[in-house]
Amino acid sequence: MDMDTPVGANALDAEKIVGKPLDRVDGRLKVTGGARYAYEMQQDVLYGFVVEASIAKGRITAIDTYAAEQSPGVKLILTHRNAPRQGNGNHREAHPVLTGPLVSHYGEPVACVIAETFEQARAAALLLKVEYDREKGHYSLAHHLDLARIPHQPDGAPADSEIGGFPGAYADAPIQIDVTYRTPLQSHAMMEPHATLAVWDGDNLTLHTANQMLNQGRQVVARTLDIPVEKVRLVSPFIGGGFGGKLWVNADAILAAIASRYLKRPVKVALTRQQIFHVTTHRSDTIQRIRLATGSDGLIVAIGHDVFSGNLPGEQVYEAAALQTRSLYAGPNRQTRHRLVPLDIPVASSMRAPGESVGLLALECAMDELANKLKLDPIELRIRNEPAEDPEKRIPYSSRHLVACMHEGARRFGWDRRNATPGQVPDGRWLVGMGMSAASRGNPLRFSKAIVRLDPSGSAWVRMAMTDIGTGTYTILTQIAAEMLGLPIDRVRVELGDTLFPEAAGSGGSFGAASAGSALFEACEALRKKLADSVGMDAGTAKFIDGHIVTGERAVSLLELVGDGVEADGEIKPGRNNREFSQQSYGAHFAEVGVDRDTGEVRLRRMLGVFAAGRVLNAKTARSQAIGGMVFGVGAALHEDLVLDPRFGYFVNHDLAEYHVPVHADIPASLDAVFISELDQHSNPLKSKGIGELGICGAGAAIANAVFNACGARVRHYPITLDKVLAALPKQA
Ligand code: MOS
């Protein structure tokens, strides 16, 4: 089905199972160790250990493998001298490894040692001697803005947008804000390190690998190894988080595949935690200039957002931090621009809510600065600038409940107790403040297929090459099938994570649940029709209840209909609704912080997110997603900072001891997320919108605004650490 028409009433509207806060169907497997992750797959395997380049740019002049070759258990040392020719492309197209003597970034694999055990491979890897000719590279975004160019991302939004006459309107307006925010390099820091087990059977390759989008990953592997895509199978039933770091294919998968083919044995390659930081992707840092102009009434007349981010030469992915600025607020004169600086550091790619996540750290603080200047409540400022339609696409919103989220959040959080003047609420040595922010995240839909089968036993199974990265996909798909087929959830088995199953979108960009769920919805509709037709009932009016198909007084047990089993498939693809409606999920964050007046330490005290994202498919997993996103936002505001050494082009703090993410002690018990009820009639048959990334959007800005309200320090360079707070404190405080 195309998403071409608004969605009418359908079988999900009963919400007997869908929407309920059900426990994860895979929860028991996970907590008992029964869920097997890529590295845990057991075979008669050899182990590979990656050797990273110790320079950021230059050329390998010699590799001495002699000592490593003599080391116990070593089977093979892969370097550029013996690696096969591979297909090329940007990181979304191919991932060739060991392609030649040139080194393009620090930590790029220069060898892989394969041995009988992991320890033997690692010990031998330490014996490898690699010599380099070092070249001077460009590493720091801030130092090389002069190299910026206009990125061209064929499948992405245009880099620039221009509506009306921004420069003149901005210059002529009585109230202006012109501020520059900086966000740091960030690393995904998911729990499960990247790992792959490669197994060849003739010229068929199976990769057990931690990957978010199996069908795309399969294409990348096939192109890299120059083999037909049908010969590649990716298997990934359980993934220990990804946040974008496993969207594409990383070196572990390709090295394992190449080594396994040479040695004719299964080969497992896992990255150590420290290796992940340079061998895989990260989020670029950004420099963002926001310009806002209003009349004294607070109505925006000009809104501008310029963004710089960096990536390896040849890569087109940029941090689309101004995307939400194109749709969030009204205003007749608008300008957004993205510029990309080529840098000789590892590939920058998507990290949770690429774009909005860091874009809102700038825009939503600039809005707070504007409210302060206008002496307007920040919520009132946003309400005054609520658009009637998408101000750049000039099309209606599919649904938009930002104002309702702000009102509901203000009521629940006690926003009316906020003192608008900074530094007025002491609590011992602490200064206490409140801040808020809007949340907005695009709602994409991606092509997906599903197959559903009703067995003679009366149980159903579902198969698709979808993934569950910890979000709850198994559970919500189980709920959808159970609701539509009138079965209890323990009679539905969902099997995911294998490219032998029908193609699916995978987990990314907040499109997973909507895309996979809609394909399953269509498959269940087709199965319902087959079953109804077989007993002469009208599929449109028949109800599926308690294992029966029911019309009026007549009820037929599904057991009588299934015979040897009945199956149906379904698919979804984006259609007119994606072009004719501006689709975003929305929300509002509220934060209360204490700032130590002497040390500048910031402690989060309370936080609340109120979200509107269409139908909630499972109240428990949705809340967990939102809370997880908010905690991610706490990290973005206060902790996360991947520190680049601008002399040598490497990340200094490449481990979880020094790359700080929030820990339990950073998160107060009073952090909650609620969803207001909403059905989106234009998003997809589920009437849902994506929620995987909404929670992070704006969360950090609410904290930054609370810091300002607490103590008057406006820190525009994230993360907001004590040194920056102290430097920004108004003198009298
Ligand atoms: Mo998300 S950054 O598309 O995993």
Side-chain angles (χ1 to χ4, degrees):
M1 162 172 172
D2 269 351
M3 271 312 302
D4 278 346
T5 46
V7 182
N10 66 42
L12 294 183
D13 292 338
E15 290 203 358
K16 288 188 173 136
I17 302 173
V18 163
K20 296 285 177 287
L22 295 188
D23 291 345
R24 287 160 194 268
V25 296
D26 52 339
R28 186 182 169 81
L29 268 186
K30 285 188 169 174
V31 299
T32 57
R36 302 268 289 281
Y37 292 78
Y39 193 76
E40 299 175 302
M41 302 308 291
Q42 292 306 327
Q43 296 239 6
D44 175 25
V45 301
L46 298 168
Y47 294 84
F49 192 87
V50 174
V51 180
E52 297 173 86
S54 59
I55 64 164
K57 190 170 169 62
R59 169 182 291 271
I60 299 169
T61 54
I63 304 184
D64 179 355
T65 56
Y66 183 78
E69 277 161 8
Q70 308 308 311
S71 192
V74 170
K75 294 290 178 189
L76 174 69
I77 299 173
L78 277 177
T79 69
H80 69 90
R81 296 189 304 230
N82 59 356
R85 281 183 66 87
Q86 296 152 69
N88 223 321
N90 67 44
H91 82 281
R92 293 177 169 189
E93 295 163 343
H95 195 111
V97 294
L98 310 175
T99 52
L102 295 184
V103 172
S104 64
H105 66 80
Y106 188 96
E108 180 179 344
V110 294
C112 184
V113 179
I114 294 95
E116 292 286 354
T117 69
F118 174 82
E119 289 76 13
Q120 288 172 335
R122 183 176 56 185
L126 291 172
L127 299 175
L128 222 60
K129 292 195 188 69
V130 186
E131 288 169 31
Y132 305 93
D133 264 349
R134 197 187 293 263
E135 281 172 44
K136 198 172 141 29
H138 302 109
Y139 310 125
S140 159
L141 176 69
H143 296 174
H144 296 293
L145 295 181
D146 55 315
L147 300 178
R149 56 179 178 75
I150 302 177
H152 177 63
Q153 201 176 311
D155 54 342
D160 291 7
S161 74
E162 187 89 46
I163 304 278
F166 173 83
Y170 179 81
D172 292 345
I175 311 277
Q176 296 161 336
I177 291 280
D178 182 350
V179 285
T180 297
Y181 279 81
R182 292 179 59 178
T183 65
L185 291 149
Q186 295 179 334
S187 185
H188 305 83
M190 76 297 283
M191 280 218 289
E192 179 204 18
H194 300 68
T196 301
L197 165 63
V199 185
W200 288 87
D201 176 11
D203 51 7
N204 291 297
L205 171 65
T206 299
L207 296 176
H208 300 270
T209 186
N211 187 285
Q212 295 176 226
M213 303 192 299
L214 300 185
N215 294 99
Q216 279 86 342
R218 190 185 186 206
Q219 300 278 353
V220 174
V221 171
R223 177 166 173 158
T224 306
L225 299 179
D226 193 21
I227 57 179
V229 72
E230 305 77 46
K231 299 284 186 191
V232 180
R233 176 182 173 197
L234 262 57
V235 184
S236 200
F238 296 101
I239 304 163
F243 306 127
K246 295 169 183 166
L247 282 173
W248 307 98
V249 169
N250 289 290
D252 55 305
I254 303 301
L255 288 168
I258 291 173
S260 171
R261 193 188 225 173
Y262 266 100
L263 294 164
K264 303 195 185 329
R265 294 251 317 258
V267 171
K268 205 182 251 190
V269 176
L271 300 180
T272 64
R273 174 62 67 185
Q274 292 86 345
Q275 289 175 336
I276 291 172
F277 288 79
H278 290 106
V279 175
T280 74
T281 60
H282 63 276
R283 191 202 307 268
S284 174
D285 44 350
T286 67
I287 297 174
Q288 305 180 47
R289 181 185 187 191
I290 307 257
R291 282 173 290 174
L292 301 169
T294 70
S296 54
D297 54 6
L299 295 179
I300 294 173
V301 294
I303 181 166
H305 195 165
D306 297 318
V307 182
F308 291 93
S309 62
N311 213 338
L312 257 187
E315 297 290 341
Q316 297 296 332
V317 169
Y318 58 93
E319 191 66 34
L323 266 199
Q324 77 287 311
T325 305
R326 296 175 184 170
S327 69
L328 192 48
Y329 299 116
N333 303 290
R334 322 175 64 88
Q335 183 180 70
T336 65
R337 296 181 291 201
H338 295 95
R339 295 294 176 268
L340 190 60
V341 176
L343 295 174
D344 303 303
I345 63 174
V347 175
S349 185
S350 303
M351 182 166 142
R352 199 171 192 178
E356 293 97 332
S357 171
V358 291
L360 287 162
L361 287 173
L363 177 67
E364 285 302 282
C365 287
M367 285 294 281
D368 202 69
E369 298 198 53
L370 178 60
N372 199 51
K373 192 164 190 173
L374 287 160
K375 301 202 186 319
L376 260 186
D377 183 273
I379 294 176
E380 174 60 24
L381 173 65
R382 286 169 174 82
I383 290 172
R384 288 193 191 176
N385 290 288
E386 179 72 3
E389 62 172 11
D390 187 302
E392 301 210 4
K393 293 183 184 161
R394 311 306 298 263
I395 53 177
Y397 295 99
S398 62
S399 66
R400 173 176 166 123
H401 295 291
L402 171 59
V403 173
C405 289
M406 291 191 295
H407 282 319
E408 180 66 13
R411 186 183 68 75
R412 287 175 181 249
F413 201 70
W415 183 252
D416 58 352
R417 298 199 303 271
R418 172 179 179 265
N419 187 323
T421 307
Q424 300 302 303
V425 186
D427 176 13
R429 59 189 288 163
W430 300 91
L431 293 168
V432 181
M434 287 191 215
M436 62 80 58
S437 161
S440 167
R441 164 70 196 170
N443 180 53
L445 184 73
R446 293 266 183 108
F447 177 73
S448 285
K449 297 202 293 191
I451 183 165
V452 58
R453 180 182 168 86
L454 198 57
D455 274 346
S457 67
S459 291
W461 59 244
V462 171
R463 284 184 183 154
M464 52 200 314
M466 182 58 192
T467 52
D468 186 334
I469 55 171
T471 46
T473 315
Y474 280 106
T475 309
I476 57 116
L477 294 178
T478 302
Q479 289 174 273
I480 290 167
E483 179 97 48
M484 294 192 67
L485 301 177
L487 298 172
I489 58 157
D490 59 3
R491 303 304 294 270
V492 177
R493 196 174 77 240
V494 174
E495 295 180 21
L496 306 176
D498 193 329
T499 52
L500 291 181
F501 301 158
E503 175 175 352
S507 304
S510 296
F511 52 65
S515 306
S518 296
L520 177 57
F521 174 95
E522 295 300 334
C524 290
E525 282 283 278
L527 186 61
R528 285 160 59 105
K529 177 153 173 30
K530 272 191 186 175
L531 294 166
D533 286 354
S534 72
V535 288
M537 290 186 187
D538 172 28
T541 51
K543 293 200 168 6
F544 285 70
I545 304 167
D546 297 334
H548 291 73
I549 172 169
V550 182
T551 301
E553 296 292 291
R554 184 168 168 232
V556 183
S557 166
L558 295 180
L559 286 172
E560 292 171 31
L561 304 181
V562 288
D564 296 334
V566 189
E567 63 185 46
D569 43 35
E571 69 171 57
I572 194 83
K573 56 184 174 202
R576 224 171 57 207
N577 278 344
N578 274 55
R579 299 185 297 273
E580 296 186 353
F581 294 93
S582 175
Q583 298 198 20
Q584 283 80 221
S585 51
Y586 291 94
H589 293 278
F590 294 82
E592 183 178 89
V593 303
V595 179
D596 186 305
R597 63 169 89 224
D598 298 317
T599 68
E601 178 184 1
V602 177
R603 300 297 302 182
L604 181 63
R605 295 187 163 203
R606 293 190 297 136
M607 194 165 179
L608 172 69
V610 178
F611 304 104
R615 190 196 307 278
V616 169
L617 300 171
N618 178 314
K620 181 183 281 188
T621 57
R623 177 173 174 272
S624 294
Q625 280 289 288
I627 285 177
M630 291 165 68
V631 171
F632 226 114
V634 175
L638 302 178
H639 307 115
E640 291 194 50
D641 190 0
L642 188 58
V643 178
L644 176 90
D645 185 323
R647 300 165 302 170
F648 302 112
Y650 77 105
F651 302 136
V652 178
N653 52 344
H654 52 277
D655 61 44
L656 289 185
E658 298 194 62
Y659 182 80
H660 290 173
V661 297
V663 297
H664 206 69
D666 294 309
I667 302 302
S670 176
L671 182 148
D672 204 1
V674 296
F675 287 83
I676 63 173
S677 108
E678 178 204 353
L679 296 181
D680 190 318
Q681 295 295 336
H682 304 285
S683 59
N684 61 61
L686 314 179
K687 309 177 190 182
S688 68
K689 293 199 261 196
I691 54 170
E693 295 165 318
L694 179 60
I696 187 176
C697 294
I703 292 167
N705 293 336
V707 169
F708 174 77
N709 180 246
C711 67
R714 179 65 72 180
V715 178
R716 301 191 185 90
H717 187 175
Y718 292 96
I720 304 172
T721 47
L722 330 82
D723 50 322
K724 296 174 193 165
V725 173
L726 286 180
L729 274 178
K731 285 288 169 280
Q732 69 275 18

